[in-house]
């Protein structure tokens, strides 16, 4: 029987990161997946990154993970979302050529030292009184390992729904994983059913492109990996169109035929990726919804209409899609569908993503109730690093809410659990001013190097960049400038006679590295990209101090009582979703409110400040 240090089950986004991370740590690793040629398949939208998700990719990349570099190699349009807002909430996003992504990912996995890919279906686990010892394949063969990571995605007892038609499947074209699903359920782990949906795929040659708006990528593309300088593939534009009253009328008239609305699907769906059925029902007052027409590749006529996922019958899909401007004669290549699958309550996991009740077993990805490629990959890297640690007796990889979005994700999952598919948002992080996409390498690469998962070439590049940031920052910290000197350069500050460090000056609104270079010519010797990085740090310095104070205040007020009749509905700034959850749960104190799934630090601060203003009013009466 073949023995490995780590066996990873599943070659999806969680699986490849887990397998590569374990191998980078020196573990002899096997990646067992149903179909080798499906490694790197993107089950749903042909895009990666965005708000929160772009942060996760940068953090994976900082640990020398594979997703960022592969996405950059396959990117056919790059856009920095929230460009007009502060860097903390900007998210790099790329439109991806599916075929390039898949082939580059397969090449990366194939060339990873210490990693072997095995094609096969895992039907059960080898386990004894001590814990999990390996896997059993459907062929009857077995393989042993010091640790096993399950990343089975949407495949566990997966059922595909289109209208009232349903069939077993892990995603369209792939068989479900029924035996492994049954094996894990028999272990007695708590779990449930979740669902997600995907839109119909369109034949781009039948779209009237002249009738829709076109959106190009950024002129100065921002890459997903710290190691990439510019796009590799030809860049394209996407189309933008929208639904209308006629579209909504067809959906409304046929809503009872939808798998999700007709009572055929019992699982809970992702609230943040609503289907067209959800949109016309939940947002009935809106007479139009935007639809992005995203080409799936440079040599592929398939177009992904982002924004209209559905589980209506195929003929209804065709009818409503054809009401949309530019899609009057469109041909559907593949009908949209919903998929329902098993997940396990992530509260059965420790913070290293090991299953508490089964030593040696780790779970990562959609199996833990998340949705999205990036969330899956982030868990994959954590599970892979820790499976290697378990097997080889190495230092565990521990992430905290203070050092990364990865830490926020793991903590949210393992302490709060999920009631609906979980996706990352910047609002979930209490330290989001310091957990930025631009500084993920500064936060995590040293830790990755210590853990042994960051290779020499990345480390060299990182070290050069870091010493240049330190040199530039010290230069600015060591020089003080008076209001008079600043005024001479057109920089107005209060005439308080106080001198300020050049670093603090660079953080002032409207002050650019060029202004500072005019006052301090030696700063010109610092590369422009490093100057920009230092400027971001300087900008956030004062806010970070306040952020730390807010977090301390929240921690100190955990015992604060919340009145039973607290009026959440009147709190402006609180989302309707949170208002309804808080109204339903009615937490007794701040600590309980903090444990509600989806609650954000900003929401807690709103509640706290209302309680405090109430206290001030009553004490002043
Ligand atoms: P997957 O990418 O699903 O990979 C699982 C892997 O495990 C596969 O390679 C499979 O072959 C393998 N496997 C399973 N069982 C076994 C076994 N027993 N033995 C060997 N190998 C096995 N995400 C969004 O962010 N937004 C969306 O709107 C969205 N919609 C989606 C709609 C559909 C229809 C689907 C299918 C997915 C959608 N997703 C969406 C989710 C996204 O695809 C997943 O979040 C992501 O792919 C999960 O990654 P993963 O690695 O956990 O699993």
């Amino acid at each position: 029987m073949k023995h490995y240090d780590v066996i990873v089950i599943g070659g999806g986004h969680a699986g490849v990161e887990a397998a590569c991370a374990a191998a980078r740590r020196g573990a002899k690793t096997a990646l067992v997946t149903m179909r080798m040629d499906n490694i790197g398949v993107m089950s749903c939208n042909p895009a990666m990154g965005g708000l929160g998700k772009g942060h996760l990719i940068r953090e994976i990349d900082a640990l020398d993970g594979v997703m960022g570099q592969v996405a950059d190699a396959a990117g056919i349009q790059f856009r920095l979302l929230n460009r007009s807002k502060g860097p903390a909430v900007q998210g790099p996003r790329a439109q991806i050529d599916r075929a390039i992504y898949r082939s580059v990912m397969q090449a990366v996995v194939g060339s990873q030292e210490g990693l072997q890919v095995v094609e096969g279906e895992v039907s059960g686990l080898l386990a004894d009184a001590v814990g999990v010892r390996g896997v059993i394949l459907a062929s009857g063969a077995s393989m042993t390992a010091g640790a096993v990571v399950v990343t089975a995605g949407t495949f566990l007892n997966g059922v595909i729904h289109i209208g009232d038609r349903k069939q077993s499947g892990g995603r369209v074209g792939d068989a479900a994983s029924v035996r492994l699903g049954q094996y894990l359920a028999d272990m007695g782990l708590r779990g449930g059913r979740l669902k997600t949906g995907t839109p119909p795929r369109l034949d781009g040659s039948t779209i009237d492109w002249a009738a829709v708006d076109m959106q190009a990528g950024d002129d100065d593309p921002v890459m997903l990996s710290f190691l990439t300088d510019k796009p590799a593939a030809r860049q394209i534009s996407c189309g933008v169109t929208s639904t209308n009253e006629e579209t909504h009328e067809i959906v409304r008239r046929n809503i009872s035929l939808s798998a999700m609305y007709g009572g055929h699907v019992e699982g809970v769906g992702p609230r943040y990726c609503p289907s067209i059925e959800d949109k016309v029902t939940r947002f009935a007052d809106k007479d139009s919804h935007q639809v992005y027409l995203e080409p799936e590749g440079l040599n592929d006529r398939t177009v992904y209409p982002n924004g209209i996922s559905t589980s209506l019958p195929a003929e209804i899909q065709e009818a409503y899609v054809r009401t949309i401007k530019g899609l009057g004669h469109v041909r559907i290549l593949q009908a949209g569908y919903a998929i329902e699958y098993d997940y396990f309550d992530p509260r059965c996991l420790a913070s290293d993503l090991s299953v508490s009740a089964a030593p040696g077993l780790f779970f990562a990805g959609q199996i833990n109730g998340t949705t999205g490629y990036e969330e899956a990959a982030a868990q994959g890297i954590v599970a892979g690093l820790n499976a290697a640690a378990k097997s080889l007796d190495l230092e565990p990889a521990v992430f905290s809410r203070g050092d990364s979005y990865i830490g926020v994700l793991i903590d949210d999952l393992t302490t709060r659990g999920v009631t609906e598919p979980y996706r990352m948002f910047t609002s979930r992080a209490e330290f989001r001013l310091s957990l930025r996409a631009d500084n993920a390498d500064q936060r995590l690469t040293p830790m990755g190097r210590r853990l042994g998962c960051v290779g020499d070439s990345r480390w060299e590049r990182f070290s050069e960049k870091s010493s240049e940031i330190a040199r530039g920052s010290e230069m600015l910290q060591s020089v003080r400038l008076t209001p008079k000197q600043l005024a001479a350069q057109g920089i107005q500050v209060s005439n308080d006679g106080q001198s300020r460090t050049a670093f603090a000056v660079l953080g002032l609104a409207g002050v650019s590295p060029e202004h500072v270079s005019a006052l301090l010519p030696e700063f010109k010797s610092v590369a422009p990209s490093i100057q920009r990085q230092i400027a971001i740090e300087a900008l956030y310095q004062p806010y970070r101090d306040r952020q730390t104070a807010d977090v301390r205040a929240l921690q100190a007020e955990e015992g604060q009582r919340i009145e039973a009749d607290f009026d959440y509905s009147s709190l402006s700034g609180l989302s309707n979703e949170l208002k309804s959850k808080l109204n339903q749960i009615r937490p007794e104190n701040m600590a309980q409110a903090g444990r509600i799934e989806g609650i954000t630090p900003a929401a807690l601060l709103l509640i706290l400040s209302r309680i405090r203003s109430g206290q001030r009013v009553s004490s002043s009466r």
Side-chain angles (χ1 to χ4, degrees), residues 19 52 57 84 115 131 180 184 189 199 221 223 260 275 278 330 363 406 424 485 489 568-569:
I57 300 187
S84 60
L115 173 60
L180 183 60
L184 295 173
L189 300 171
M223 302 286 100
M260 299 209 228
S275 63
D278 280 324
V330 84
F363 283 175
I406 297 181
M424 184 48 77
Q485 284 172 303
Q489 276 306 316
Y568 296 105
S569 320

Side-chain angles (χ1 to χ4, degrees), residues 546-617:
R546 211 178 94 197
Q547 171 186 271
T548 313
D550 281 349
V551 170
R552 288 218 182 98
L554 279 179
Q555 282 163 349
E557 299 284 350
E558 285 198 331
Q560 169 68 50
R561 258 179 61 73
I562 306 177
E563 295 300 328
D565 59 353
F566 188 95
D567 185 10
Y568 296 105
S569 320
S570 67
L571 274 186
S572 61
L574 206 60
S575 71
N576 287 336
E577 281 137 30
L578 276 181
K579 280 181 189 169
S580 82
K581 267 191 186 168
L582 286 157
N583 270 323
Q584 203 188 345
I585 298 170
R586 298 236 146 248
E588 287 173 18
N589 53 39
M590 290 298 294
Q592 243 182 47
R595 283 195 291 274
I596 292 175
E597 187 204 343
I599 197 95
T600 60
L604 289 172
L605 282 169
L606 277 176
I607 299 171
L608 192 59
S609 79
R610 169 63 65 85
I611 294 173
R612 281 180 180 159
S613 67
Q615 285 166 344
R616 272 199 301 277
V617 170

Side-chain angles (χ1 to χ4, degrees), residues 10-14 33-34 43-44 120 122 151 153 177 196-197 337 366 371-372 376:
H13 306 280
T33 193
M34 285 185 174
S43 313
C44 192
V122 172
T151 69
S177 176
T196 184
Y337 64 94
Q366 195 119 353
T371 176

Side-chain angles (χ1 to χ4, degrees), residues 441-442 445-446 459-474 530 534:
D441 56 346
Q442 302 300 313
T445 302
W459 182 245
E460 240 167 67
R461 211 161 144 176
F462 169 81
S463 304
E464 273 168 29
K465 178 178 168 185
S466 301
S467 36
E468 197 55 4
I469 292 176
R471 184 175 79 87
S473 303
E474 279 159 23
I530 303 291
I534 297 171

Side-chain angles (χ1 to χ4, degrees), residues 26-49:
K28 189 177 157 211
T29 305
L31 173 61
V32 187
T33 193
M34 285 185 174
R35 284 173 51 188
M36 251 178 198
D37 61 347
N38 272 355
I39 288 176
V41 162
M42 299 170 72
S43 313
C44 192
N45 54 330
M48 282 190 170

Side-chain angles (χ1 to χ4, degrees), residues 48-59 79-94 218 220-224 226 405 424-427 432-440 443 532-533 535-536 539-540:
M48 282 190 170
L51 308 178
K53 289 167 172 272
H55 291 70
L56 285 173
I57 300 187
R58 282 285 179 81
E59 291 181 359
R79 279 163 47 80
L80 183 65
L81 304 190
N82 272 351
R83 195 176 265 272
S84 60
K85 297 194 180 159
V89 291
Q90 291 175 347
R93 178 187 191 271
D218 291 340
D220 52 342
V222 173
M223 302 286 100
L224 290 165
F226 288 103
Y405 275 84
M424 184 48 77
F425 296 107
T426 50
S427 59
R432 67 176 176 277
L433 300 184
S434 36
L435 304 186
R436 303 185 312 269
D438 65 78
N439 70 358
R443 293 183 277 116
R532 282 197 295 275
Q533 188 65 47
I536 296 174
L539 171 71
Y540 280 109

